[in-house]
Amino acid sequence: QVQLQESGPGLVKPSQTLSLTCTVSGGSISSGSYYWSWIRQPAGKGLEWIGRIYTSGSTNYNPSLKSRVTISVDTSKNQFSLKLSSVTAADTAVYYCAREVTMIASEAFDIWGQGTMVTVSS
Amino acid sequence: DIQMTQSPSSLSASVGDRVTITCQASQDISNYLNWYQQKPGKAPKLLIYDASNLETGVPSRFSGSGSGTDFTFTISSLQPEDIATYYCQQYDNLPRTFGQGTKVEIK
């Protein structure tokens, strides 16, 4: 079955760019009707949707982060990536990649990575 | 953005109790609502989609109902393994938004 795995630095300095990659295994990132998403969760807090990419390359971003976020896909590596620029301590969180399945009249995050903790600190 | 408001923020119940969580959307979202379970240190898990459809493999003690702006999530008989935080999430509009979560504990 499809599995997702996040990877990237666990520590990023303020003002720098956070970069994470999500590797999809057990299936092709190009097959099916799926959006590939990033979601984050500060410690002890709720879930915040960052954005998503379709395998065509079309993207949607949370307006609250849009000016700093880029999500891209590399179908040859079966991966998609997140870049978040100009980070501050407020960007410290567990970052999840997730698959959003689109069915006839519904959409849901049905598969999640285990999450990766990213701390912004000098 | 569509605001999702869950209540209560936390609850404590005994094994075997019926547990109910509500989720209110700031505007009509039809039945475009999902429920997730998150255990400590783990990723969220999809339990209910389309407000009332049980995801494959999820025990039948979990259920959901509602449409429009008001939704309910129920555990018919609380089990020790249900200790978790539960989130509602709307997919009527972008950005996707989640409720603040309801932490369920055993009394």
Side-chain angles (χ1 to χ4, degrees):
Chain A
Q1 68 279 25
V2 174
Q3 294 183 313
L4 306 182
Q5 178 68 59
E6 305 89 351
S7 59
L11 181 64
V12 182
K13 288 181 167 49
S15 80
Q16 294 191 342
T17 296
L18 178 160
S19 297
L20 296 174
T21 296
C22 183
T23 301
V24 180
S25 59
S28 172
I29 199 171
S30 300
S31 66
S33 299
Y34 305 118
Y35 287 96
W36 303 95
S37 305
W38 288 97
I39 295 162
R40 70 181 183 178
Q41 185 173 38
K45 297 189 177 181
L47 299 158
E48 180 181 30
W49 180 79
I50 298 170
R52 68 184 187 180
I53 189 165
Y54 199 63
T55 47
S56 64
S58 66
T59 54
N60 302 106
Y61 299 133
N62 193 321
S64 68
L65 299 168
K66 187 173 183 177
S67 63
R68 300 194 290 130
V69 173
T70 303
I71 297 175
S72 59
V73 64
D74 186 336
T75 54
S76 67
K77 294 182 178 179
N78 232 29
Q79 295 175 334
F80 63 105
S81 298
L82 168 70
K83 291 189 185 299
L84 181 65
S85 64
S86 305
V87 297
T88 69
D91 296 310
T92 295
V94 174
Y95 285 75
Y96 295 101
C97 57
R99 186 181 81 172
E100 186 176 21
V101 61
T102 61
M103 297 168 274
I104 294 175
S106 63
E107 299 178 5
F109 300 108
D110 67 333
I111 299 177
W112 297 64
Q114 65 185 25
T116 187
M117 179 68 201
V118 178
T119 301
V120 178
S121 175
S122 55
Chain B
D1 298 7
I2 297 175
Q3 306 303 316
M4 307 301 294
T5 304
Q6 285 181 236
S7 62
S9 296
S10 65
L11 66 89
S12 181
S14 300
V15 172
D17 281 356
R18 183 181 185 88
V19 168
T20 299
I21 299 168
T22 63
C23 177
Q24 185 169 60
S26 59
Q27 65 188 66
D28 189 336
I29 59 169
S30 185
N31 66 329
Y32 299 149
L33 184 101
N34 303 320
W35 289 95
Y36 299 85
Q37 175 193 65
Q38 186 178 33
K39 295 184 177 181
K42 300 294 187 181
K45 174 187 175 183
L46 177 66
L47 298 182
I48 304 279
Y49 63 94
D50 288 356
S52 60
N53 292 314
L54 202 63
E55 174 72 339
T56 302
V58 173
S60 59
R61 64 180 179 274
F62 296 102
S63 64
S65 65
S67 67
T69 61
D70 296 303
F71 302 86
T72 301
F73 173 82
T74 300
I75 307 173
S76 61
S77 177
L78 185 67
Q79 300 301 304
E81 60 266 32
D82 300 335
I83 299 315
T85 300
Y86 293 85
Y87 293 93
C88 60
Q89 174 247 325
Q90 64 80 22
Y91 58 93
D92 179 61
N93 235 329
L94 294 175
R96 301 294 190 238
T97 50
F98 295 83
Q100 81 277 17
T102 297
K103 186 174 184 178
V104 175
E105 298 176 320
I106 296 285
K107 191 181 295 182

